[in-house]
Amino acid sequence: MRHVASALLMSALAMGVAGCQSPFGGPAAGASAAGEEARHGRVPRAASLDEKSGRGALWVGDAVDVDGRRFGEHLRVSVVGQVDPAVTADSVGSAASADSADDTDIAAGMRRLAVDVTVVNTGGRPYDASSAGAWAVDEKGRRHRPVASAPLTTGRILKGNTIPAGEQAQGWLVFEVPEKTRIVRLQLALENRSLDWQLSFPPSR
């Protein structure tokens, strides 16, 4: 059985933040926000995309294959769920882990939502995802970066530094957005590709 990788590092460049980072440009627990199924031997089916533009219609449940810059670097990235609003475990009386973020209070007029992301290293070498980024995109096209968060009632936060070959990283990306803002998609920047998941299930296939 493959084990979930304990580490996935994403973009200080995308965030403009130095220090410890969580995946896709969000701050890890304890860091401040600036600005804004390999586990069981099963890998999600990869969606069909336009390989030239790197764009296509992706929905919750879809996976996409991404090649790295170096020989042997290959990922399969999938969005497997979302929760809105997102609720931290400690806010309902459960004990948060020792590495939880200190700033779990939500600002007035804001809410948190979370997207469940799985990144599988299907290549033959460890993958450093330090050039990646993630944003929740609202109906007006505004982009919101991930924020630090304690573990959620739905599971742990996606964070770390590197995914070893043959393993995966899975967890929730958490975003803080205005209460009345409607988030419509998750945008990920990986290598030279921009990928967009519609944050709903497809009407039919």
Side-chain angles (χ1 to χ4, degrees):
M1 178 184 295
R2 294 175 180 172
H3 298 285
V4 176
S6 62
L8 175 63
L9 172 67
M10 297 290 180
S11 174
L13 294 178
M15 272 297 291
V17 182
C20 184
Q21 296 289 313
S22 71
F24 300 103
S32 60
E36 356 199 331
E37 286 154 326
R39 182 180 182 184
H40 300 291
R42 299 189 296 272
V43 178
R45 173 188 61 82
S48 176
L49 294 179
D50 183 303
E51 292 299 325
K52 184 175 181 180
S53 67
R55 292 184 177 275
L58 292 170
W59 300 82
V60 171
D62 281 339
V64 62
D65 292 325
V66 178
D67 294 331
R69 293 182 175 86
R70 299 187 299 170
F71 179 79
E73 289 184 336
H74 307 287
L75 299 178
R76 180 160 291 182
V77 185
S78 56
V79 170
V80 296
Q82 65 166 320
V83 60
D84 185 4
V87 179
T88 58
D90 56 348
S91 70
V92 293
S94 299
S97 66
D99 62 352
S100 297
D102 294 327
D103 53 339
T104 56
D105 291 337
I106 302 175
M110 305 291 283
R111 77 178 195 279
R112 284 185 178 174
L113 62 93
V115 182
D116 192 2
V117 176
T118 299
V119 183
V120 183
N121 185 344
T122 57
R125 65 192 307 166
Y127 187 80
D128 172 13
S130 59
S131 62
W135 301 267
V137 184
D138 65 32
E139 58 188 343
K140 295 183 178 180
R142 294 172 298 198
R143 303 197 301 176
H144 308 266
R145 294 189 184 277
V147 299
S149 175
L152 305 178
T153 55
T154 49
R156 63 184 178 182
I157 305 304
L158 185 62
K159 61 184 178 181
N161 44 27
T162 299
I163 312 174
E167 298 193 17
Q168 75 173 28
Q170 183 275 332
W172 294 87
L173 287 173
V174 181
F175 303 88
E176 190 168 297
V177 301
E179 282 182 347
K180 295 183 179 180
T181 294
R182 187 167 73 94
I183 299 298
V184 296
R185 58 193 170 95
L186 175 74
Q187 183 177 83
L188 300 183
L190 282 167
E191 301 298 337
N192 61 346
R193 302 180 68 176
S194 179
L195 304 170
D196 294 272
W197 275 264
Q198 305 300 314
L199 291 181
S200 59
F201 292 96
S204 63
R205 288 243 168 126

